[in-house]
Amino acid sequence: MNTNGHFITVFEHEKLVFNLKDEKERQLLEALEVYHGNQTPFFKLIRHGVQFNEYVGIIQIGKTTIEVLPKADKSGEKKWRKLLIGMIQTVWGFDVKSTGSSSLKLKSNSILELYFELFLSEVEYLLHRGLIKRYRKNEGNQSSLKGSLKFSKHITQNLVHKERFYVNYTQYTNEHSIHEILFKTIQLLKKINTNPVLNGRIGALTLNFPEMRDIKINASTFHKIVYDRKNQHYKVALEIAKLLLLNYHPDISKGRNDVLALMFDMNNLWEQFIVVTLKRKLKSHNVTSQVTKSFWKPDSGYSSKMRPDIILKCKESQQIFVLDTKWKKLNG
């Protein structure tokens, strides 16, 4: 374990023990215990601390960041941090040519900074390109008659103010759900960012991005987004916004130990990394992953099924290879 001020680095399956006599460390443990109460699979509680499982990534508590790195040998933090960031960039395709991230040169020191910097670059690109507008339904009192008049509400609210009209109308504006999500994410970054290098860019976006209403966001908010030719270039920014907003857990009781957790199952991440790499490099084969197929069918009863990690099928000979992925150091 390496502790550097507000930055703590540990490896998967490693224990993190806190000094309960230190007020800050005691608060960190309390925040982790509360977060663990939500049935998180990322770590388990031990005496005066936690032990991390097979998940890697970042847990930020208030201004303190706990970085959990993968480890298969005794190489140092620098190697494994670089490898983890490289795998995440490969799996999530952060070099997408259709967006501003094509020329992005990330030099982040942690996964959290990777996501922050990528999100900022994407939104800066969207602003430079021009924010899209959508038709939005509005209802309320107006000084002129436009749209359809809502008679019942018009009579109850404008009995005295006869110069006003309570109407239902549509407006072509950039104030819609997509921009409300991005605006909320910018506000979140402004609150939780601890890297002074990014403060200036976050401040500039706060000034340049049009102010939106504050909305409640959950998983269904993102399910409602329909991508088309007009908003396809928003996809990367919205995917990062989803990751940050849905994994942020504000500390309602004390307001100082908000938790943001960006953690990945190392076994699944490694498998996805191998699949993406094979698809890019192995052009002579079709690469598929996690395909369930019938393996054995007895004369009576249920058939047995198998679900191999990766299947390679040679385009020329049709020969099939079944691969199994494991994240561990091989003996010898």
Side-chain angles (χ1 to χ4, degrees), residues 31-264:
L32 287 169
E33 288 174 342
V34 171
Y35 183 68
H36 186 269
N38 296 328
Q39 303 300 316
T40 174
F42 306 148
F43 56 84
K44 58 187 176 184
L45 299 177
I46 59 174
R47 179 176 171 81
H48 298 164
V50 298
Q51 182 174 10
F52 294 94
N53 297 326
E54 68 274 12
Y55 287 81
V56 295
I58 286 287
I59 300 178
Q60 181 168 306
I61 304 167
K63 296 297 182 182
T64 301
T65 301
I66 300 174
E67 176 187 51
V68 186
L69 298 176
K71 187 176 184 180
D73 57 34
K74 295 182 180 180
S75 301
E77 298 167 11
K78 190 174 181 181
K79 171 192 171 180
W80 291 112
R81 184 180 296 117
K82 183 179 179 181
L83 180 135
L84 179 58
I85 289 176
M87 281 199 292
I88 291 173
Q89 286 176 306
T90 300
V91 170
W92 273 270
F94 285 165
D95 57 344
V96 182
K97 300 299 181 191
S98 61
T99 70
S101 59
S102 59
S103 60
L104 193 64
K105 294 181 180 179
L106 291 166
K107 296 179 181 178
S108 303
N109 295 317
S110 75
I111 303 163
L112 201 58
E113 290 175 16
L114 170 75
Y115 280 103
F116 286 3
E117 188 175 355
L118 183 63
F119 177 79
L120 293 173
S121 297
E122 288 296 313
V123 179
E124 287 165 351
Y125 162 76
L126 294 174
L127 278 172
H128 179 73
R129 179 167 173 168
L131 299 179
I132 61 173
K133 291 185 177 183
R134 289 282 171 90
Y135 284 104
R136 179 174 183 164
K137 291 183 178 180
N138 289 311
E139 184 178 303
N141 261 324
Q142 299 292 320
S143 57
S144 60
L145 180 60
K146 57 181 177 180
S148 58
L149 187 67
K150 306 283 287 186
F151 284 102
S152 58
K153 291 187 177 180
H154 173 69
I155 293 170
T156 56
Q157 296 199 22
N158 296 324
L159 194 61
V160 177
H161 298 281
K162 299 192 183 291
E163 76 284 358
R164 290 187 168 274
F165 303 91
Y166 197 94
V167 292
N168 191 347
Y169 63 99
T170 57
Q171 185 180 13
Y172 193 58
T173 178
N174 57 21
E175 294 183 23
H176 47 79
S177 60
I178 290 179
H179 292 156
E180 288 165 348
I181 292 170
L182 297 181
F183 180 76
K184 196 173 182 75
T185 311
I186 294 169
Q187 297 302 308
L188 175 62
L189 260 60
K190 186 178 178 181
K191 181 179 180 181
I192 65 176
N193 173 59
T194 58
N195 186 346
V197 177
L198 299 179
N199 283 338
R201 294 172 65 184
I202 295 172
L205 276 185
T206 305
L207 291 173
N208 296 326
F209 201 91
E211 190 169 347
M212 301 284 160
R213 61 173 183 161
D214 187 25
I215 60 171
K216 289 185 178 180
I217 291 180
N218 51 39
S220 65
T221 309
F222 293 93
H223 291 155
K224 293 175 184 176
I225 298 174
V226 178
Y227 291 103
D228 53 31
R229 179 181 56 83
K230 198 173 180 182
N231 67 0
Q232 187 66 32
H233 56 290
Y234 277 75
K235 193 168 186 179
V236 174
L238 287 171
E239 284 178 352
I240 301 170
K242 178 181 179 181
L243 194 72
L244 296 175
L245 292 173
L246 297 187
N247 288 286
Y248 176 67
H249 302 270
D251 180 7
I252 300 172
S253 60
K254 297 177 182 177
R256 59 187 176 187
N257 287 326
D258 304 331
V259 177
L260 174 65
L262 300 182
M263 300 287 282
F264 310 93

Side-chain angles (χ1 to χ4, degrees), residues 317-332:
S317 66
Q318 301 298 303
Q319 190 175 8
I320 294 175
F321 301 89
V322 177
L323 306 184
D324 183 56
T325 59
K326 285 286 183 291
W327 171 252
K328 64 180 181 181
K329 183 182 179 182
L330 298 175
N331 293 329

